[in-house]
């Protein structure tokens, strides 16, 4: 999807401060961090949101989740913990229509989050 911001990052048309990349997943620092560690983790294949996930996405998302622990370890937040958030739709504050997870950590996070 050429108009999707995250697809443009995947294609290299827009630069990002990458922390992880393989054939299926890309992780990079958020440009407006909400915590000392704020990494966005996306599937390289365009999926609009968690609401748009289908059975065809099982392998992609299972794989994505399998690399999250190593991303958290590399970021230095695995031991103390972190939050993983997916915003969905307008009321959920999803601002980019490409499924992405926010990995937030590096400090004590409050609850409730919203």
């Amino acid at each position: 999807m050429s108009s999707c911001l995250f697809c443009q990052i995947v294609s290299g048309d827009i630069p990002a401060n990458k922390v992880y990349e393989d054939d299926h997943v890309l992780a990079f620092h958020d440009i407006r961090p909400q915590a000392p560690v704020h990494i966005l983790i996306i599937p390289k294949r365009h999926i609009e949101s968690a609401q748009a996930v289908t059975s065809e996405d099982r392998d992609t998302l299972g794989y994505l989740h399998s690399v999250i622990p190593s991303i958290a370890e590399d970021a230095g937040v695995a031991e103390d913990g972190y939050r993983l958030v997916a915003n969905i739709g307008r009321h959920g504050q999803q601002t980019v229509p490409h499924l992405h997870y926010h990995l937030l950590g590096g400090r004590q996070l409050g609850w409730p989050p919203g």
Side-chain angles (χ1 to χ4, degrees):
M1 300 206 67
S2 61
S3 64
C4 171
L5 173 67
F6 289 169
C7 288
Q8 291 176 7
I9 290 172
V10 167
S11 70
D13 294 337
I14 295 176
N17 186 1
K18 299 175 184 178
V19 298
Y20 178 86
E21 183 173 18
D22 65 26
D23 290 342
H24 306 286
V25 174
L26 177 63
F28 52 93
H29 289 282
D30 193 298
I31 61 170
R32 290 187 203 98
Q34 302 298 306
V37 172
H38 189 168
I39 296 169
L40 299 177
I41 305 168
I42 68 170
K44 285 188 167 182
R45 188 168 58 79
H46 184 84
I47 301 170
E48 188 169 316
S49 76
Q51 188 61 36
V53 169
T54 69
S55 61
E56 294 174 6
D57 302 314
R58 286 181 186 151
D59 291 342
T60 298
L61 296 183
Y63 179 79
L64 183 146
H65 279 263
S66 77
V67 301
I68 289 171
S70 66
I71 294 170
E73 286 178 26
D74 290 347
V77 297
E79 187 173 326
D80 288 335
Y82 55 94
R83 182 169 293 156
L84 192 63
V85 177
N87 298 326
I88 299 135
R90 184 173 52 91
H91 283 190
Q93 297 295 311
Q94 183 180 5
T95 58
V96 178
H98 185 120
L99 177 63
H100 58 284
Y101 295 90
H102 298 259
L103 187 152
L104 301 150
R107 67 169 167 83
Q108 180 65 56
L109 300 170
W111 193 263

